[in-house]
Amino acid sequence: MFRYSRLAALLAAVLVTLFGAVAPAHAAVTLDVGWVDGIWVEYVNRNLEFWVGDHTGPTLIARNPADVILRARPESQLTVPPSPNPTCLGTPGSPVWILPQIQNPNLLWLGWSAITIPSGTLVN
């Protein structure tokens, strides 16, 4: 389980780095259940574009990352186990939120996608 926890922590750090940790000044959409590609990458006119792929409704919506808040629900909260533990999770006994690796319709199922970029596009 902790291999995935480290992956989740790394993904969270990447999201904060790419999109910022500050909530947008205008009304944002909060996504806390269902399938969401937290990083959806496209290559358009020799530029990488980043979106949030919202699969929570009947059709896919490409959302601007500045317009989205991704929220882990309380049901995804666990407690950091006693040592030895992955230090990226925090102090033993403190809370940590772990998103599922298998889709659970009651929790945020966060992924990422670069499926629209053909193989070899970014070589060299």
Side-chain angles (χ1 to χ4, degrees), residues 1 3 10 14-16 19 21 24-25 28 32 46 49 59 62 70-71 74 85 89 96 99 103 113-114 117:
M1 177 170 109
R3 180 180 64 183
L10 176 62
V14 169
L15 288 172
V16 168
F19 308 127
D32 62 356
R46 302 180 57 95
E49 294 183 357
T59 59
L70 300 173
R71 185 174 74 90
N85 68 307
L89 295 179
V96 62
L99 298 177
Q103 189 169 12
S113 175
I117 301 175

Side-chain angles (χ1 to χ4, degrees), residues 69-92:
I69 297 171
L70 300 173
R71 185 174 74 90
R73 295 178 64 84
E75 297 88 344
S76 62
Q77 181 180 340
L78 301 173
T79 301
V80 176
S83 292
N85 68 307
T87 57
C88 67
L89 295 179
T91 306

Side-chain angles (χ1 to χ4, degrees), residues 10-47:
L10 176 62
L11 181 58
V14 169
L15 288 172
V16 168
T17 301
L18 289 174
F19 308 127
V22 179
H26 56 284
V29 173
T30 298
L31 302 174
D32 62 356
V33 296
W35 172 21
V36 175
D37 288 323
I39 302 175
W40 179 15
V41 184
E42 290 187 336
Y43 191 66
V44 179
N45 298 326
R46 302 180 57 95
N47 292 300

Side-chain angles (χ1 to χ4, degrees), residues 51-117:
W51 303 94
V52 173
D54 180 356
H55 299 268
T56 61
T59 59
L60 170 64
I61 300 173
R63 298 187 184 278
N64 183 327
D67 298 334
V68 178
I69 297 171
L70 300 173
R71 185 174 74 90
R73 295 178 64 84
E75 297 88 344
S76 62
Q77 181 180 340
L78 301 173
T79 301
V80 176
S83 292
N85 68 307
T87 57
C88 67
L89 295 179
T91 306
S94 63
V96 62
W97 287 260
I98 306 293
L99 298 177
Q101 297 299 305
I102 298 170
Q103 189 169 12
N104 176 339
N106 299 314
L107 297 175
L108 181 64
W109 191 43
L110 191 60
W112 69 290
S113 175
I115 197 167
T116 63
I117 301 175

